């Protein structure tokens, strides 16, 4: 790989890392944030969801902006705004100020991320180079969450949770300089922004997530729950209808014409729905039941992180030998087994070492085998004019799965704990039940793979045989 490409890949990975880190860097700090800003366990989920909802919701608009205004320009604007909003989040005097700042952080990330992935796709055209670049990008995207837990825990215990936000500022300034110096200007196209499509998707997904979080507090029969859920469903339906009729949609529905790609998007949505919730629930268990400090709870994810990063060096050989689909299915099965066994190990008497340590490593191996194939399949046979939209859709599936999965499983947690102030026994039981919900999500991801991707592969084989004849 040429040196200039290594520099471009390093910039793209660094941009992706700070964006992914911020989805989890506050998790181990949530008990401290709750105490300092007077937030309940349920409301504290919005420290996560305000970020990832805005991130996932505006990704499609960000991808379209990159196509029309230039990807280098949007990458720079996104990084600059991300640095500014990180500073504001770190200075937040109230919970409301923090949540609004986190939402604008998510919007900034939505401008930068699809531009970065589209630049990667355009910079690495040769198959072997692209596979290696996607492997590194996927490893950082997947493992960045657990790195965020460790950093967030360290800052919370030894300095302040606010440093997790402040640290983005100097990194962002450095990245802005590197982007301008090493990444060439990209093509600017004429076209329209599908603003109505962007708004219906963002508000619709927010309505769904808000409805599930309200269900955790009020139950399913209350207007506080069913009104936002209904509004979310109606708006997401309007989004699909808008995209079908728009002359220049933010997400061309033709991307779903490939069963292969559709299965990859759905599989990613469901896998992240189950996997991301672990980063919220396990630290809560370790701090509230096992009495770990914030930093210790973050360090507890080291076996997961090390295993996931370790898989990065093996993935190229595994994919070359077995193919994306077999590696993906094996990774999902390993993740299911690890999560199921971990849910059974969560109790008041549970021990971190060796049981949880080994199971987290197993789950890291499974996750490390899943995301690279899903990324590669999500970009399969995409036309050049749709690269930005396809890149955005991959990240939309990731962030939407994270926000909706957490919202669903926090409802499971509240229904299982039966009280606002659960005892250690009730808390452990609720966490265990929530992890079983994670298992259901990952099993659904495996089912999506079997139902969507395998039939598509068999159809492709039949067509190839007919051509040969």
């Amino acid at each position: 790989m040429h040196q200039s490409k290594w520099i471009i890949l390093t910039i793209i990975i660094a941009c992706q890392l700070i964006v992914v880190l911020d989805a989890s860097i506050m998790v181990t700090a949530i008990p401290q944030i709750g105490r300092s800003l007077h937030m309940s366990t349920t409301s504290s989920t919005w420290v996560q969801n305000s970020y990832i909802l805005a991130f996932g919701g505006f990704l499609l608009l960000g991808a379209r902006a990159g196509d029309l205004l230039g990807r280098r320009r949007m990458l720079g604007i996104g990084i600059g705004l991300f640095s500014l909003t990180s500073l504001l989040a770190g200075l937040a005097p109230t919970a409301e100020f923090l949540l609004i700042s986190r939402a604008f952080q998510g919007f900034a990330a939505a401008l930068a991320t699809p531009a970065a992935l589209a630049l990667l796709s355009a910079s690495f055209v040769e198959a072997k180079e692209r596979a290696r670049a996607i492997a590194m990008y996927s490893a950082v995207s997947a493992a960045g969450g657990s790195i965020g837990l460790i950093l967030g825990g360290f800052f919370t215990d030894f300095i302040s949770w606010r440093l997790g936000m402040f640290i983005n500022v100097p990194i962002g300034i450095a990245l802005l300089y590197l982007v301008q110096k090493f990444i060439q200007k990209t093509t600017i196209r004429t076209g329209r922004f599908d603003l109505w499509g962007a708004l219906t998707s963002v508000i619709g997904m927010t309505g769904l997530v808000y409805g599930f979080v309200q269900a955790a507090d009020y139950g399913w029969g209350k207007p506080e729950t069913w009104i936002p859920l209904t509004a979310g469903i109606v708006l997401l339906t309007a989004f699909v209808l808008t995209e079908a009729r728009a002359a220049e949609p933010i997400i061309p529905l033709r991307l779903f014409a490939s069963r292969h790609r559709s299965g990859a998007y759905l599989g990613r949505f469901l896998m992240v729905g189950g996997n991301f919730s672990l980063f919220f629930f396990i630290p809560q268990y370790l701090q509230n039941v096992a009495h770990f400090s914030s930093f210790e709870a973050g360090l507890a994810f080291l076996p997961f992180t090390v295993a996931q990063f370790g898989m990065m060096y093996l993935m190229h050989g595994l994919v070359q030998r077995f193919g994306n689909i077999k590696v993906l299915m094996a990774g999902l099965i390993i993740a299911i087994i690890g999560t199921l066994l971990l849910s059974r190990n969560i109790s008041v008497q549970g021990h971190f070492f060796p049981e949880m340590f080994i199971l987290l490593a197993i789950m890291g191996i499974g996750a490390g085998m899943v995301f690279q194939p899903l990324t590669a399949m999500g970009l399969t046979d995409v036309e050049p004019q749709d690269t930005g939209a396809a890149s955005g859709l991959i990240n939309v599936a990731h962030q939407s799965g994270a926000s909706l999965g957490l919202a669903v499983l926090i409802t499971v947690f509240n229904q299982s704990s039966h009280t606002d102030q659960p005892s250690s026994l009730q808390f452990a039981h609720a966490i265990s039940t929530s992890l079983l919900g994670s298992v259901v999500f990952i099993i659904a991801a495996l089912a999506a793979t079997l139902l969507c991707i395998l039939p598509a592969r068999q159809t492709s084989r039949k067509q190839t045989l007919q051509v040969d004849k």
Side-chain angles (χ1 to χ4, degrees), residues 280-292 345-352 356 424 427-428 431:
F280 182 85
F281 287 116
I282 297 300
Q284 304 303 309
Y285 164 75
L286 291 174
Q287 291 181 74
N288 288 292
V289 179
H291 306 298
F292 279 37
N345 190 67
I346 297 293
S347 68
V348 175
Q349 293 83 23
H351 298 287
F352 175 75
M356 286 187 67
S424 294
F427 198 94
I431 294 288

Side-chain angles (χ1 to χ4, degrees), residues 83-292:
S83 301
L84 174 61
T85 51
S86 295
L87 177 64
L88 294 175
L91 295 171
T94 65
E96 292 77 13
F97 192 98
L98 174 63
L99 298 185
I100 292 170
S101 300
R102 289 283 283 167
F104 276 104
Q105 259 193 307
F107 174 72
L111 299 181
T113 299
L117 185 53
L119 285 168
L120 182 149
S121 184
S123 301
F124 298 90
V125 179
E126 193 272 323
K128 187 176 289 186
E129 282 190 348
R130 175 179 282 198
R132 187 178 300 172
I134 288 177
M136 296 178 70
Y137 178 92
S138 300
V140 168
S141 298
S146 48
I147 295 172
L149 292 176
I150 297 170
L151 284 177
F154 177 82
F155 294 150
T156 300
D157 274 356
F158 298 105
I159 308 172
S160 168
W161 62 265
R162 297 177 185 272
L163 186 59
M165 297 292 96
F166 291 146
I167 197 172
N168 292 327
V169 179
I171 295 174
I173 292 171
L175 283 174
L176 273 175
Y177 168 77
L178 293 173
V179 166
Q180 299 301 316
K181 183 175 178 61
F182 291 105
I183 296 181
Q184 296 181 349
K185 289 184 178 180
T186 51
T187 306
I188 297 175
R189 291 164 43 193
T190 57
R192 299 176 182 176
F193 284 106
D194 179 16
L195 188 59
W196 178 245
L199 289 176
T200 51
S201 65
V202 173
I203 300 172
M205 184 57 71
T206 302
L208 277 185
V209 171
Y210 185 74
F212 277 110
V213 173
Q214 291 294 90
D217 284 335
Y218 297 102
W220 295 100
K222 299 287 185 179
E224 290 89 346
T225 298
W226 60 259
I227 288 177
L229 285 175
T230 303
I233 293 169
V234 170
L235 285 168
L236 289 176
T237 303
F239 167 69
V240 174
L241 294 175
T242 299
E243 298 309 282
R245 298 172 183 173
E248 298 182 46
I250 55 173
I251 181 65
L253 296 185
R254 60 180 172 269
L255 286 174
F256 296 99
S258 164
R259 197 165 179 172
H260 212 79
R261 287 196 299 269
S262 297
Y265 301 142
L266 179 58
R268 191 182 201 96
F269 175 87
L270 293 168
M271 172 64 185
V272 177
N275 194 60
F276 180 81
S277 303
L278 301 172
F279 296 104
F280 182 85
F281 287 116
I282 297 300
Q284 304 303 309
Y285 164 75
L286 291 174
Q287 291 181 74
N288 288 292
V289 179
H291 306 298
F292 279 37

